[in-house]
Amino acid sequence: MPPNNYNVLPRGVEPSEFQTAVEKFKALLGAENVLTESSQLAPYLKIMMPVPESEHAPSAALMATTVEQVQGVVKICNEHKIPLWTVATGRNFGYGTAAPHHRGQVILDLNKMNKIIEIDPVLCTALVEPGVTYQQLVDYIKEKGYKLWVDPPAPSAIVGPVGNTLDRGVGYTPYSEHFMFACGMEVVLANGDVLRTAMGGIPNSNTWQTFKWGYGPYLDGIFTQSNYGIVTKMGFWLMPEPAAFKPFAIKYDNDEDIEDLVEMFRPLSISGVIPNAMVFVGTLWEASPTVRRSDYTTEKGATSKEIIQRIRDEHQIGAWTAYGALYGTQEQVDVNWKIVTDTVKAAGKGTIVTEEEAGDDIAFTYRADLMRGNMTLVEFGLYNWRGGGGSMWFGPVSQAKGSETRKQVELATQILNKHGLDYVGEFIVGQRAMHHLIDVLFDRTDPEEMKAAYACFDELLDEFAKHGYGVYRVNPEFMHKVADSFGPTQRAVNKTLKRALDPNNIFAPGKSGIDLED
């Protein structure tokens, strides 16, 4: 292909320079693994953010299968100052897809690096490559007959533990805070060296996946939500299958009940009576597996309170539905179930629903599957609420206090409704902190709704920051804005690390707001 036929070039790279780099990539990876044609790059163009796809168009995509190939790609990128945007499975929907941070970056797709290297059923550890999906991992565990569970995020089957953990994602079992259960990484650095963190630096180490800390400064954290290296292997801990598992739901009728819910269940979370990440789900999120907005109205703008109440009444959905589970021996579960039911009864409100009582209820089954580590794609029903393919997760974190829930729900609803959008949210309570997940859903085929969604998300970030709330993840379009909200000192430290580890700025410029060209 002649140099002047490339549709998108990396910033600051001349066509002839890029052509030379592409030829080197082909020699290293094979021509079939270097994608430059528009038709080949189309899957990497799909975005869910309210901006034109062209703003996040890649220059090329590279498919690597070995660590040595990754090292070779890094060498070529250093020689020609080619920026790389690395993806594992590329399905980080709502927080971004496979599309790069900004136009012109070359995607390094590690999807073909999908080996499950080792699972130790005695120590309950795993070592995998970045292309491994949760579905692949679960299938392998079942094939081997191991009594082990994984902890997937909501869109479980098609995403993978390496990418999700590096983005500090969360799940729904007792192992829900994924980075807490990571143990040992292999990282290709920008100079081509391979770093093995934790105990991995010891030749023939037999504790790489069992002891997180190693010796000296703990380094694993700097490779999460960053652009300081390319992780090519990751270890993590698996949950031993419990003898007994009891999922449950509790339905509450009133919007204001959310405040009491957190106060009621936080002590049970901190004490370990309810050991998993307990979730409090709002009406529209709970309705999403079966209900579409178009079933009730085709009018533009925010959905009225009257319609939301109709959905509750017609589908027997609470204003809030609490989901949790108990794990352990049957004796442990029986004791803790009495504590839970006594707590709910003492509060004088809330309808308890067990798995037996729920029957084939889709929403309950979906939550129970998440809390036992089963694979599910039911959460994608959220995207059908409005339709049109637009979604941005807004994820402010707060203290696990009831007063915080009311403040956040009212503030978010006010801003969303102002821009003609709906509050579709849930809280995930993990002991002392809460993740408040709000899916800002909009129609990407409607230019006015695109503008509204962008302005809405921008205002959500501004207003929540004013109230002292920061978000824990965000899509590429707003990464710089979120980085700014954490203050100039943190940004300066991040940039100092970037200069030291990646002086040519080749790894994912702009990721988490870190870019030497800013």
Side-chain angles (χ1 to χ4, degrees), residues 44-195:
Y44 300 98
L45 263 175
K46 297 184 183 301
I47 61 173
M48 306 181 81
M49 300 172 288
V51 294
E53 290 180 344
S54 58
E55 293 185 12
H56 295 271
S59 295
L62 313 175
M63 312 287 287
T65 56
T66 68
V67 176
E68 292 75 19
Q69 285 185 345
V70 173
Q71 288 176 291
V73 167
V74 169
K75 180 181 179 183
I76 295 166
C77 287
N78 272 304
E79 290 171 351
H80 299 280
K81 306 299 185 293
I82 305 294
L84 278 177
W85 182 263
T86 303
V87 298
T89 64
R91 297 187 175 98
N92 193 17
F93 298 133
Y95 292 116
T97 51
H101 176 271
H102 57 257
R103 181 178 174 86
Q105 294 177 324
V106 170
I107 293 170
L108 177 59
D109 188 342
L110 302 183
N111 182 58
K112 290 183 178 180
M113 292 183 68
N114 58 2
K115 296 185 183 68
I116 298 172
I117 298 164
E118 182 183 28
I119 291 183
D120 186 326
V122 176
L123 296 173
C124 308
T125 64
L127 179 65
V128 305
E129 290 184 331
V132 171
T133 65
Y134 282 102
Q135 183 69 66
Q136 180 185 349
L137 190 59
V138 166
D139 290 346
Y140 182 90
I141 289 169
K142 287 181 179 178
E143 177 188 328
K144 295 293 184 180
Y146 298 150
K147 300 296 184 182
L148 298 170
W149 284 6
V150 301
D151 183 283
S156 49
I158 61 175
V159 300
V162 173
N164 186 264
T165 301
L166 290 175
D167 215 26
R168 297 206 291 271
V170 295
Y172 300 87
T173 79
Y175 282 40
S176 62
E177 193 66 62
H178 291 165
F179 183 54
M180 287 181 64
F181 295 93
C183 191
M185 298 177 181
E186 179 183 84
V187 187
V188 175
L189 301 176
N191 64 3
D193 289 347
V194 175
L195 168 70

Side-chain angles (χ1 to χ4, degrees), residues 40-351:
Q40 295 174 316
L41 296 175
Y44 300 98
L45 263 175
K46 297 184 183 301
I47 61 173
M48 306 181 81
M49 300 172 288
V51 294
E53 290 180 344
S54 58
E55 293 185 12
H56 295 271
S59 295
L62 313 175
M63 312 287 287
T65 56
T66 68
V67 176
E68 292 75 19
Q69 285 185 345
V70 173
Q71 288 176 291
V73 167
V74 169
K75 180 181 179 183
I76 295 166
C77 287
N78 272 304
E79 290 171 351
H80 299 280
K81 306 299 185 293
I82 305 294
L84 278 177
W85 182 263
T86 303
V87 298
T89 64
R91 297 187 175 98
N92 193 17
F93 298 133
Y95 292 116
T97 51
H101 176 271
H102 57 257
R103 181 178 174 86
Q105 294 177 324
V106 170
I107 293 170
L108 177 59
D109 188 342
L110 302 183
N111 182 58
K112 290 183 178 180
M113 292 183 68
N114 58 2
K115 296 185 183 68
I116 298 172
I117 298 164
E118 182 183 28
I119 291 183
D120 186 326
V122 176
L123 296 173
C124 308
T125 64
L127 179 65
V128 305
E129 290 184 331
V132 171
T133 65
Y134 282 102
Q135 183 69 66
Q136 180 185 349
L137 190 59
V138 166
D139 290 346
Y140 182 90
I141 289 169
K142 287 181 179 178
E143 177 188 328
K144 295 293 184 180
Y146 298 150
K147 300 296 184 182
L148 298 170
W149 284 6
V150 301
D151 183 283
S156 49
I158 61 175
V159 300
V162 173
N164 186 264
T165 301
L166 290 175
D167 215 26
R168 297 206 291 271
V170 295
Y172 300 87
T173 79
Y175 282 40
S176 62
E177 193 66 62
H178 291 165
F179 183 54
M180 287 181 64
F181 295 93
C183 191
M185 298 177 181
E186 179 183 84
V187 187
V188 175
L189 301 176
N191 64 3
D193 289 347
V194 175
L195 168 70
R196 289 191 168 186
T197 66
M199 302 299 285
I202 299 293
N204 302 314
S205 172
N206 59 13
T207 53
W208 192 15
Q209 273 67 66
T210 57
F211 185 66
K212 290 169 68 78
W213 314 118
Y215 176 76
Y218 179 67
L219 299 176
D220 298 54
I222 69 170
F223 297 109
T224 67
Q225 289 193 2
S226 76
N227 50 14
Y228 301 146
I230 298 171
V231 176
T232 49
K233 293 182 181 68
M234 178 180 283
F236 55 96
W237 299 335
L238 301 170
M239 178 179 166
E241 181 180 313
F245 165 70
K246 189 178 184 66
F248 60 89
I250 310 167
K251 295 184 178 182
Y252 292 85
D253 294 331
N254 302 308
D255 291 320
E256 58 269 20
D257 288 338
I258 184 63
E259 191 164 340
D260 294 335
L261 280 177
V262 175
E263 293 304 310
M264 188 188 317
F265 291 111
R266 180 192 59 246
L268 301 186
S269 178
I270 291 176
S271 67
V273 171
I274 300 176
N276 73 317
M278 198 166 185
V279 184
F280 307 133
V281 188
T283 299
L284 296 184
W285 194 313
E286 181 74 354
S288 65
T290 55
V291 179
R292 305 291 175 265
R293 187 176 185 274
S294 58
D295 297 338
Y296 290 86
T297 181
T298 56
E299 293 183 7
K300 289 192 174 186
T303 306
S304 68
K305 290 182 179 180
E306 290 75 20
I307 289 176
I308 293 173
Q309 188 60 51
R310 276 181 57 200
I311 291 171
R312 291 174 183 172
D313 295 340
E314 293 177 12
H315 296 271
Q316 288 81 55
I317 294 172
W320 294 96
T321 305
Y323 286 98
L326 304 177
Y327 307 76
T329 65
Q330 191 60 57
E331 293 83 0
Q332 289 172 318
V333 168
D334 289 343
V335 168
N336 287 336
W337 181 238
K338 185 176 187 306
I339 294 172
V340 170
T341 54
D342 286 351
T343 300
V344 174
K345 289 174 183 175
K349 58 184 175 181
T351 303

